[in-house]
Amino acid sequence: GENVEQHPSTLSVQEGDSAVIKCTYSDSASNYFPWYKQELGKRPQLIIDIRSNVGEKKDQRIAVTLNKTAKHFSLHITETQPEDSAVYFCAAPRTGTASKLTFGTGTRLQVTL
Amino acid sequence: DAGVIQSPRHEVTEMGQEVTLRCKPISGHNSLFWYRQTMMRGLELLIYFNNNVPIDDSGMPEDRFSAKMPNASFSTLKIQPSEPRDSAVYFCASSLKGGNQPQHFGDGTRLSIL
């Protein structure tokens, strides 16, 4: 099955700096990669996703890049703000069961003033 | 536009009691997922349904757990009998059927078994 590794587990940045979170996956057939943001006590919320036919996707201060050859994808947050503080999860589908997602272990992002 | 609706939001009960968690997926979505989230194990998929049919229940921890989806707008996750180690946040999510479809999560049920 799919194995998703996520790094770092914690990340602290100053307000205004950029944050990068990386995930690797094992199944070369995986073709959909969503990112979720989970604030304390709240539900995971989809913030951006990318499909394997593109290498990069942007939405305002958030971008995701995909390297299919190396089997890794990254979340980039620019001009970070305190409200970006949360746990971020990457995910990738499991082979043969495209509906199922394997989630990374999460990155706790802390944006300090 | 209503999202995924779960009830109850919080449940506290004594071990040995039956617990029933409920979920209403987004209208028009035909895939439904039950997840469990704990600090130790992260976000785990328990079971998922396509068109009300259970497709994969390999994540269900043991026979004490069962899930049903009697129609397209309602699903339940039942634990009987409950144990303290079942304490977790249980999320329901739904999506359109098929691969590469975004999953949208409900607000979860925080379950505490004493």
Side-chain angles (χ1 to χ4, degrees), chain B residues 20-60:
Chain B
T20 300
L21 311 181
R22 297 172 176 80
C23 176
K24 176 178 167 57
I26 293 172
S27 178
H29 282 189
N30 39 24
S31 290
L32 183 141
F33 308 82
W34 281 101
Y35 290 91
R36 177 172 68 176
Q37 187 176 39
T38 61
M39 288 294 293
M40 291 297 295
R41 301 173 69 91
L43 200 57
E44 305 174 274
L45 177 66
L46 301 178
I47 185 171
Y48 84 96
F49 296 81
N50 278 348
N51 294 328
N52 314 339
V53 176
I55 302 300
D56 186 342
D57 65 354
S58 60
M60 296 285 261

mmCIF file of all heavy atoms in Angstrom, chain B residues 20-60:
data_model
loop_
_atom_site.group_PDB
_atom_site.id
_atom_site.type_symbol
_atom_site.label_atom_id
_atom_site.label_comp_id
_atom_site.label_asym_id
_atom_site.label_seq_id
_atom_site.Cartn_x
_atom_site.Cartn_y
_atom_site.Cartn_z
ATOM 1 N N THR B 20 -23.114 5.294 19.576
ATOM 2 C CA THR B 20 -23.501 5.433 18.171
ATOM 3 C C THR B 20 -23.178 6.836 17.695
ATOM 4 O O THR B 20 -23.661 7.822 18.258
ATOM 5 C CB THR B 20 -24.997 5.146 17.969
ATOM 6 O OG1 THR B 20 -25.293 3.808 18.390
ATOM 7 C CG2 THR B 20 -25.364 5.284 16.499
ATOM 8 N N LEU B 21 -22.357 6.913 16.671
ATOM 9 C CA LEU B 21 -21.999 8.185 16.062
ATOM 10 C C LEU B 21 -22.719 8.289 14.723
ATOM 11 O O LEU B 21 -22.848 7.290 14.006
ATOM 12 C CB LEU B 21 -20.479 8.265 15.852
ATOM 13 C CG LEU B 21 -19.604 7.897 17.063
ATOM 14 C CD1 LEU B 21 -18.135 8.050 16.710
ATOM 15 C CD2 LEU B 21 -19.962 8.712 18.272
ATOM 16 N N ARG B 22 -23.125 9.504 14.393
ATOM 17 C CA ARG B 22 -23.953 9.698 13.199
ATOM 18 C C ARG B 22 -23.320 10.685 12.233
ATOM 19 O O ARG B 22 -22.593 11.605 12.651
ATOM 20 C CB ARG B 22 -25.343 10.189 13.607
ATOM 21 C CG ARG B 22 -26.106 9.179 14.465
ATOM 22 C CD ARG B 22 -27.391 9.739 15.018
ATOM 23 N NE ARG B 22 -28.135 8.726 15.760
ATOM 24 C CZ ARG B 22 -27.870 8.360 17.015
ATOM 25 N NH1 ARG B 22 -26.877 8.925 17.677
ATOM 26 N NH2 ARG B 22 -28.602 7.423 17.601
ATOM 27 N N CYS B 23 -23.624 10.488 10.965
ATOM 28 C CA CYS B 23 -23.044 11.338 9.931
ATOM 29 C C CYS B 23 -24.029 11.530 8.781
ATOM 30 O O CYS B 23 -24.641 10.571 8.299
ATOM 31 C CB CYS B 23 -21.754 10.724 9.402
ATOM 32 S SG CYS B 23 -20.998 11.642 8.031
ATOM 33 N N LYS B 24 -24.124 12.770 8.346
ATOM 34 C CA LYS B 24 -24.883 13.098 7.132
ATOM 35 C C LYS B 24 -23.904 13.686 6.134
ATOM 36 O O LYS B 24 -23.339 14.757 6.372
ATOM 37 C CB LYS B 24 -25.976 14.106 7.451
ATOM 38 C CG LYS B 24 -26.766 14.591 6.244
ATOM 39 C CD LYS B 24 -27.859 15.559 6.664
ATOM 40 C CE LYS B 24 -28.466 16.296 5.475
ATOM 41 N NZ LYS B 24 -29.016 15.384 4.467
ATOM 42 N N PRO B 25 -23.673 13.002 5.005
ATOM 43 C CA PRO B 25 -22.699 13.514 4.038
ATOM 44 C C PRO B 25 -23.252 14.706 3.270
ATOM 45 O O PRO B 25 -24.442 15.032 3.349
ATOM 46 C CB PRO B 25 -22.478 12.325 3.108
ATOM 47 C CG PRO B 25 -23.763 11.556 3.165
ATOM 48 C CD PRO B 25 -24.272 11.743 4.572
ATOM 49 N N ILE B 26 -22.388 15.340 2.520
ATOM 50 C CA ILE B 26 -22.809 16.432 1.646
ATOM 51 C C ILE B 26 -23.729 15.868 0.573
ATOM 52 O O ILE B 26 -23.443 14.816 -0.013
ATOM 53 C CB ILE B 26 -21.581 17.126 1.027
ATOM 54 C CG1 ILE B 26 -20.789 17.851 2.117
ATOM 55 C CG2 ILE B 26 -21.982 18.090 -0.075
ATOM 56 C CD1 ILE B 26 -19.443 18.408 1.652
ATOM 57 N N SER B 27 -24.815 16.560 0.315
ATOM 58 C CA SER B 27 -25.774 16.102 -0.683
ATOM 59 C C SER B 27 -25.105 15.949 -2.041
ATOM 60 O O SER B 27 -24.391 16.856 -2.509
ATOM 61 C CB SER B 27 -26.924 17.111 -0.780
ATOM 62 O OG SER B 27 -27.843 16.721 -1.762
ATOM 63 N N GLY B 28 -25.318 14.782 -2.653
ATOM 64 C CA GLY B 28 -24.725 14.528 -3.957
ATOM 65 C C GLY B 28 -23.408 13.758 -3.887
ATOM 66 O O GLY B 28 -22.946 13.220 -4.893
ATOM 67 N N HIS B 29 -22.808 13.728 -2.713
ATOM 68 C CA HIS B 29 -21.594 12.934 -2.542
ATOM 69 C C HIS B 29 -21.980 11.473 -2.363
ATOM 70 O O HIS B 29 -22.922 11.161 -1.627
ATOM 71 C CB HIS B 29 -20.799 13.407 -1.319
ATOM 72 C CG HIS B 29 -20.023 14.650 -1.575
ATOM 73 N ND1 HIS B 29 -19.107 15.143 -0.673
ATOM 74 C CD2 HIS B 29 -20.005 15.494 -2.631
ATOM 75 C CE1 HIS B 29 -18.555 16.228 -1.167
ATOM 76 N NE2 HIS B 29 -19.093 16.477 -2.349
ATOM 77 N N ASN B 30 -21.264 10.575 -3.015
ATOM 78 C CA ASN B 30 -21.615 9.168 -2.896
ATOM 79 C C ASN B 30 -20.493 8.303 -2.343
ATOM 80 O O ASN B 30 -20.553 7.082 -2.415
ATOM 81 C CB ASN B 30 -22.127 8.613 -4.228
ATOM 82 C CG ASN B 30 -21.368 9.157 -5.403
ATOM 83 O OD1 ASN B 30 -20.225 9.584 -5.265
ATOM 84 N ND2 ASN B 30 -21.996 9.167 -6.575
ATOM 85 N N SER B 31 -19.468 8.937 -1.811
ATOM 86 C CA SER B 31 -18.454 8.201 -1.037
ATOM 87 C C SER B 31 -18.425 8.778 0.363
ATOM 88 O O SER B 31 -18.435 10.005 0.539
ATOM 89 C CB SER B 31 -17.075 8.332 -1.680
ATOM 90 O OG SER B 31 -17.014 7.630 -2.896
ATOM 91 N N LEU B 32 -18.381 7.901 1.344
ATOM 92 C CA LEU B 32 -18.375 8.332 2.737
ATOM 93 C C LEU B 32 -17.302 7.576 3.490
ATOM 94 O O LEU B 32 -17.115 6.369 3.302
ATOM 95 C CB LEU B 32 -19.747 8.090 3.377
ATOM 96 C CG LEU B 32 -19.910 8.578 4.834
ATOM 97 C CD1 LEU B 32 -21.293 9.176 5.050
ATOM 98 C CD2 LEU B 32 -19.635 7.476 5.835
ATOM 99 N N PHE B 33 -16.581 8.304 4.350
ATOM 100 C CA PHE B 33 -15.423 7.756 5.055
ATOM 101 C C PHE B 33 -15.577 8.007 6.558
ATOM 102 O O PHE B 33 -15.989 9.092 6.962
ATOM 103 C CB PHE B 33 -14.144 8.443 4.574
ATOM 104 C CG PHE B 33 -13.963 8.443 3.083
ATOM 105 C CD1 PHE B 33 -14.602 9.388 2.292
ATOM 106 C CD2 PHE B 33 -13.141 7.514 2.466
ATOM 107 C CE1 PHE B 33 -14.444 9.405 0.910
ATOM 108 C CE2 PHE B 33 -12.978 7.515 1.092
ATOM 109 C CZ PHE B 33 -13.624 8.459 0.315
ATOM 110 N N TRP B 34 -15.186 7.027 7.355
ATOM 111 C CA TRP B 34 -15.084 7.206 8.807
ATOM 112 C C TRP B 34 -13.606 7.119 9.190
ATOM 113 O O TRP B 34 -12.921 6.150 8.844
ATOM 114 C CB TRP B 34 -15.864 6.127 9.562
ATOM 115 C CG TRP B 34 -17.345 6.350 9.619
ATOM 116 C CD1 TRP B 34 -18.308 5.749 8.864
ATOM 117 C CD2 TRP B 34 -18.041 7.234 10.517
ATOM 118 N NE1 TRP B 34 -19.554 6.199 9.224
ATOM 119 C CE2 TRP B 34 -19.422 7.114 10.234
ATOM 120 C CE3 TRP B 34 -17.642 8.113 11.523
ATOM 121 C CZ2 TRP B 34 -20.393 7.839 10.921
ATOM 122 C CZ3 TRP B 34 -18.612 8.833 12.196
ATOM 123 C CH2 TRP B 34 -19.968 8.696 11.896
ATOM 124 N N TYR B 35 -13.140 8.156 9.916
ATOM 125 C CA TYR B 35 -11.765 8.220 10.390
ATOM 126 C C TYR B 35 -11.766 8.315 11.918
ATOM 127 O O TYR B 35 -12.701 8.799 12.537
ATOM 128 C CB TYR B 35 -11.052 9.462 9.850
ATOM 129 C CG TYR B 35 -10.744 9.466 8.377
ATOM 130 C CD1 TYR B 35 -11.652 9.989 7.457
ATOM 131 C CD2 TYR B 35 -9.526 8.984 7.905
ATOM 132 C CE1 TYR B 35 -11.356 10.021 6.104
ATOM 133 C CE2 TYR B 35 -9.223 9.022 6.555
ATOM 134 C CZ TYR B 35 -10.137 9.539 5.661
ATOM 135 O OH TYR B 35 -9.838 9.571 4.324
ATOM 136 N N ARG B 36 -10.630 7.899 12.484
ATOM 137 C CA ARG B 36 -10.393 8.079 13.908
ATOM 138 C C ARG B 36 -9.080 8.824 14.055
ATOM 139 O O ARG B 36 -8.102 8.503 13.372
ATOM 140 C CB ARG B 36 -10.320 6.726 14.615
ATOM 141 C CG ARG B 36 -10.008 6.804 16.097
ATOM 142 C CD ARG B 36 -10.150 5.455 16.770
ATOM 143 N NE ARG B 36 -9.145 4.496 16.351
ATOM 144 C CZ ARG B 36 -9.030 3.282 16.868
ATOM 145 N NH1 ARG B 36 -9.886 2.881 17.809
ATOM 146 N NH2 ARG B 36 -8.093 2.471 16.445
ATOM 147 N N GLN B 37 -9.039 9.816 14.938
ATOM 148 C CA GLN B 37 -7.816 10.593 15.140
ATOM 149 C C GLN B 37 -7.410 10.570 16.606
ATOM 150 O O GLN B 37 -8.195 10.916 17.489
ATOM 151 C CB GLN B 37 -7.990 12.050 14.684
ATOM 152 C CG GLN B 37 -6.693 12.845 14.718
ATOM 153 C CD GLN B 37 -6.859 14.254 14.167
ATOM 154 O OE1 GLN B 37 -7.855 14.930 14.396
ATOM 155 N NE2 GLN B 37 -5.865 14.708 13.397
ATOM 156 N N THR B 38 -6.175 10.136 16.841
ATOM 157 C CA THR B 38 -5.588 10.170 18.177
ATOM 158 C C THR B 38 -4.180 10.742 18.068
ATOM 159 O O THR B 38 -3.593 10.775 16.978
ATOM 160 C CB THR B 38 -5.493 8.768 18.805
ATOM 161 O OG1 THR B 38 -4.637 7.957 17.959
ATOM 162 C CG2 THR B 38 -6.846 8.100 18.920
ATOM 163 N N MET B 39 -3.650 11.182 19.189
ATOM 164 C CA MET B 39 -2.286 11.714 19.190
ATOM 165 C C MET B 39 -1.292 10.623 18.797
ATOM 166 O O MET B 39 -0.340 10.873 18.062
ATOM 167 C CB MET B 39 -1.939 12.270 20.574
ATOM 168 C CG MET B 39 -2.638 13.556 20.914
ATOM 169 S SD MET B 39 -2.100 14.904 19.860
ATOM 170 C CE MET B 39 -0.397 15.081 20.401
ATOM 171 N N MET B 40 -1.525 9.418 19.295
ATOM 172 C CA MET B 40 -0.552 8.348 19.075
ATOM 173 C C MET B 40 -0.569 7.826 17.644
ATOM 174 O O MET B 40 0.476 7.533 17.069
ATOM 175 C CB MET B 40 -0.833 7.190 20.047
ATOM 176 C CG MET B 40 -0.547 7.523 21.494
ATOM 177 S SD MET B 40 1.196 7.884 21.770
ATOM 178 C CE MET B 40 1.922 6.284 21.409
ATOM 179 N N ARG B 41 -1.762 7.702 17.060
ATOM 180 C CA ARG B 41 -1.883 7.012 15.779
ATOM 181 C C ARG B 41 -2.239 7.937 14.615
ATOM 182 O O ARG B 41 -2.327 7.482 13.460
ATOM 183 C CB ARG B 41 -2.906 5.892 15.901
ATOM 184 C CG ARG B 41 -2.541 4.863 16.981
ATOM 185 C CD ARG B 41 -3.684 3.872 17.168
ATOM 186 N NE ARG B 41 -3.829 3.020 16.005
ATOM 187 C CZ ARG B 41 -3.223 1.845 15.844
ATOM 188 N NH1 ARG B 41 -2.430 1.389 16.791
ATOM 189 N NH2 ARG B 41 -3.415 1.128 14.765
ATOM 190 N N GLY B 42 -2.471 9.208 14.924
ATOM 191 C CA GLY B 42 -2.801 10.143 13.855
ATOM 192 C C GLY B 42 -4.188 9.901 13.298
ATOM 193 O O GLY B 42 -5.089 9.453 14.009
ATOM 194 N N LEU B 43 -4.344 10.153 12.006
ATOM 195 C CA LEU B 43 -5.632 10.044 11.335
ATOM 196 C C LEU B 43 -5.704 8.690 10.630
ATOM 197 O O LEU B 43 -4.962 8.433 9.690
ATOM 198 C CB LEU B 43 -5.747 11.190 10.338
ATOM 199 C CG LEU B 43 -7.108 11.605 9.821
ATOM 200 C CD1 LEU B 43 -8.043 11.976 10.957
ATOM 201 C CD2 LEU B 43 -6.972 12.767 8.862
ATOM 202 N N GLU B 44 -6.599 7.842 11.098
ATOM 203 C CA GLU B 44 -6.721 6.486 10.549
ATOM 204 C C GLU B 44 -8.067 6.311 9.862
ATOM 205 O O GLU B 44 -9.098 6.653 10.437
ATOM 206 C CB GLU B 44 -6.684 5.440 11.674
ATOM 207 C CG GLU B 44 -5.500 5.461 12.602
ATOM 208 C CD GLU B 44 -5.716 4.465 13.728
ATOM 209 O OE1 GLU B 44 -6.358 4.852 14.734
ATOM 210 O OE2 GLU B 44 -5.279 3.307 13.604
ATOM 211 N N LEU B 45 -8.050 5.722 8.692
ATOM 212 C CA LEU B 45 -9.298 5.391 8.006
ATOM 213 C C LEU B 45 -9.852 4.093 8.583
ATOM 214 O O LEU B 45 -9.156 3.080 8.628
ATOM 215 C CB LEU B 45 -9.056 5.221 6.506
ATOM 216 C CG LEU B 45 -10.272 4.810 5.686
ATOM 217 C CD1 LEU B 45 -11.323 5.911 5.677
ATOM 218 C CD2 LEU B 45 -9.865 4.463 4.265
ATOM 219 N N LEU B 46 -11.084 4.122 9.016
ATOM 220 C CA LEU B 46 -11.714 2.926 9.588
ATOM 221 C C LEU B 46 -12.464 2.140 8.510
ATOM 222 O O LEU B 46 -12.302 0.926 8.398
ATOM 223 C CB LEU B 46 -12.686 3.321 10.701
ATOM 224 C CG LEU B 46 -12.085 4.102 11.875
ATOM 225 C CD1 LEU B 46 -13.175 4.477 12.870
ATOM 226 C CD2 LEU B 46 -10.984 3.296 12.545
ATOM 227 N N ILE B 47 -13.293 2.834 7.744
ATOM 228 C CA ILE B 47 -14.129 2.173 6.747
ATOM 229 C C ILE B 47 -14.588 3.219 5.747
ATOM 230 O O ILE B 47 -14.669 4.410 6.084
ATOM 231 C CB ILE B 47 -15.359 1.499 7.414
ATOM 232 C CG1 ILE B 47 -16.195 0.702 6.405
ATOM 233 C CG2 ILE B 47 -16.228 2.532 8.128
ATOM 234 C CD1 ILE B 47 -17.283 -0.148 7.043
ATOM 235 N N TYR B 48 -14.864 2.791 4.511
ATOM 236 C CA TYR B 48 -15.495 3.726 3.592
ATOM 237 C C TYR B 48 -16.539 3.025 2.733
ATOM 238 O O TYR B 48 -16.475 1.810 2.506
ATOM 239 C CB TYR B 48 -14.473 4.501 2.754
ATOM 240 C CG TYR B 48 -13.936 3.841 1.512
ATOM 241 C CD1 TYR B 48 -14.507 4.107 0.257
ATOM 242 C CD2 TYR B 48 -12.833 3.020 1.569
ATOM 243 C CE1 TYR B 48 -13.988 3.544 -0.887
ATOM 244 C CE2 TYR B 48 -12.312 2.449 0.419
ATOM 245 C CZ TYR B 48 -12.884 2.718 -0.809
ATOM 246 O OH TYR B 48 -12.366 2.160 -1.943
ATOM 247 N N PHE B 49 -17.490 3.823 2.282
ATOM 248 C CA PHE B 49 -18.630 3.357 1.503
ATOM 249 C C PHE B 49 -18.637 4.056 0.144
ATOM 250 O O PHE B 49 -18.315 5.245 0.050
ATOM 251 C CB PHE B 49 -19.956 3.721 2.198
ATOM 252 C CG PHE B 49 -20.173 3.069 3.541
ATOM 253 C CD1 PHE B 49 -19.592 3.579 4.690
ATOM 254 C CD2 PHE B 49 -20.987 1.948 3.656
ATOM 255 C CE1 PHE B 49 -19.808 3.004 5.927
ATOM 256 C CE2 PHE B 49 -21.215 1.360 4.897
ATOM 257 C CZ PHE B 49 -20.617 1.888 6.030
ATOM 258 N N ASN B 50 -19.043 3.334 -0.895
ATOM 259 C CA ASN B 50 -19.387 3.927 -2.179
ATOM 260 C C ASN B 50 -20.831 3.558 -2.464
ATOM 261 O O ASN B 50 -21.201 2.382 -2.407
ATOM 262 C CB ASN B 50 -18.491 3.394 -3.309
ATOM 263 C CG ASN B 50 -17.162 4.103 -3.378
ATOM 264 O OD1 ASN B 50 -16.945 5.132 -2.749
ATOM 265 N ND2 ASN B 50 -16.249 3.527 -4.144
ATOM 266 N N ASN B 51 -21.646 4.557 -2.768
ATOM 267 C CA ASN B 51 -23.061 4.302 -3.047
ATOM 268 C C ASN B 51 -23.699 3.430 -1.971
ATOM 269 O O ASN B 51 -24.397 2.456 -2.266
ATOM 270 C CB ASN B 51 -23.228 3.655 -4.424
ATOM 271 C CG ASN B 51 -22.821 4.587 -5.546
ATOM 272 O OD1 ASN B 51 -22.964 5.810 -5.442
ATOM 273 N ND2 ASN B 51 -22.289 4.022 -6.613
ATOM 274 N N ASN B 52 -23.440 3.751 -0.728
ATOM 275 C CA ASN B 52 -24.016 3.109 0.455
ATOM 276 C C ASN B 52 -23.466 1.713 0.718
ATOM 277 O O ASN B 52 -23.904 1.060 1.672
ATOM 278 C CB ASN B 52 -25.558 3.021 0.356
ATOM 279 C CG ASN B 52 -26.198 4.305 -0.089
ATOM 280 O OD1 ASN B 52 -25.610 5.374 0.033
ATOM 281 N ND2 ASN B 52 -27.398 4.221 -0.626
ATOM 282 N N VAL B 53 -22.549 1.232 -0.088
ATOM 283 C CA VAL B 53 -22.021 -0.119 0.066
ATOM 284 C C VAL B 53 -20.639 -0.051 0.702
ATOM 285 O O VAL B 53 -19.784 0.696 0.217
ATOM 286 C CB VAL B 53 -21.924 -0.830 -1.303
ATOM 287 C CG1 VAL B 53 -21.281 -2.203 -1.153
ATOM 288 C CG2 VAL B 53 -23.307 -0.935 -1.941
ATOM 289 N N PRO B 54 -20.413 -0.822 1.777
ATOM 290 C CA PRO B 54 -19.066 -0.801 2.383
ATOM 291 C C PRO B 54 -18.054 -1.422 1.424
ATOM 292 O O PRO B 54 -18.248 -2.555 0.959
ATOM 293 C CB PRO B 54 -19.247 -1.629 3.664
ATOM 294 C CG PRO B 54 -20.437 -2.493 3.411
ATOM 295 C CD PRO B 54 -21.322 -1.715 2.504
ATOM 296 N N ILE B 55 -17.000 -0.677 1.131
ATOM 297 C CA ILE B 55 -16.001 -1.136 0.169
ATOM 298 C C ILE B 55 -14.788 -1.726 0.880
ATOM 299 O O ILE B 55 -14.232 -2.731 0.455
ATOM 300 C CB ILE B 55 -15.546 0.022 -0.743
ATOM 301 C CG1 ILE B 55 -16.750 0.605 -1.487
ATOM 302 C CG2 ILE B 55 -14.474 -0.448 -1.709
ATOM 303 C CD1 ILE B 55 -17.488 -0.379 -2.364
ATOM 304 N N ASP B 56 -14.370 -1.084 1.954
ATOM 305 C CA ASP B 56 -13.159 -1.527 2.633
ATOM 306 C C ASP B 56 -13.302 -1.214 4.123
ATOM 307 O O ASP B 56 -13.382 -0.052 4.491
ATOM 308 C CB ASP B 56 -11.943 -0.809 2.057
ATOM 309 C CG ASP B 56 -10.632 -1.324 2.626
ATOM 310 O OD1 ASP B 56 -10.643 -1.970 3.689
ATOM 311 O OD2 ASP B 56 -9.582 -1.066 2.008
ATOM 312 N N ASP B 57 -13.354 -2.259 4.927
ATOM 313 C CA ASP B 57 -13.453 -2.064 6.377
ATOM 314 C C ASP B 57 -12.201 -2.588 7.073
ATOM 315 O O ASP B 57 -12.237 -2.913 8.268
ATOM 316 C CB ASP B 57 -14.708 -2.729 6.933
ATOM 317 C CG ASP B 57 -14.671 -4.242 6.788
ATOM 318 O OD1 ASP B 57 -13.719 -4.763 6.145
ATOM 319 O OD2 ASP B 57 -15.586 -4.913 7.287
ATOM 320 N N SER B 58 -11.112 -2.657 6.346
ATOM 321 C CA SER B 58 -9.883 -3.221 6.907
ATOM 322 C C SER B 58 -9.324 -2.381 8.049
ATOM 323 O O SER B 58 -8.524 -2.864 8.845
ATOM 324 C CB SER B 58 -8.825 -3.394 5.819
ATOM 325 O OG SER B 58 -8.517 -2.155 5.223
ATOM 326 N N GLY B 59 -9.747 -1.140 8.138
ATOM 327 C CA GLY B 59 -9.269 -0.279 9.214
ATOM 328 C C GLY B 59 -10.068 -0.380 10.493
ATOM 329 O O GLY B 59 -9.675 0.180 11.525
ATOM 330 N N MET B 60 -11.164 -1.084 10.461
ATOM 331 C CA MET B 60 -11.977 -1.235 11.671
ATOM 332 C C MET B 60 -11.174 -2.060 12.675
ATOM 333 O O MET B 60 -10.769 -3.194 12.376
ATOM 334 C CB MET B 60 -13.294 -1.926 11.340
ATOM 335 C CG MET B 60 -14.162 -1.110 10.399
ATOM 336 S SD MET B 60 -14.954 0.274 11.212
ATOM 337 C CE MET B 60 -16.571 -0.406 11.499
#
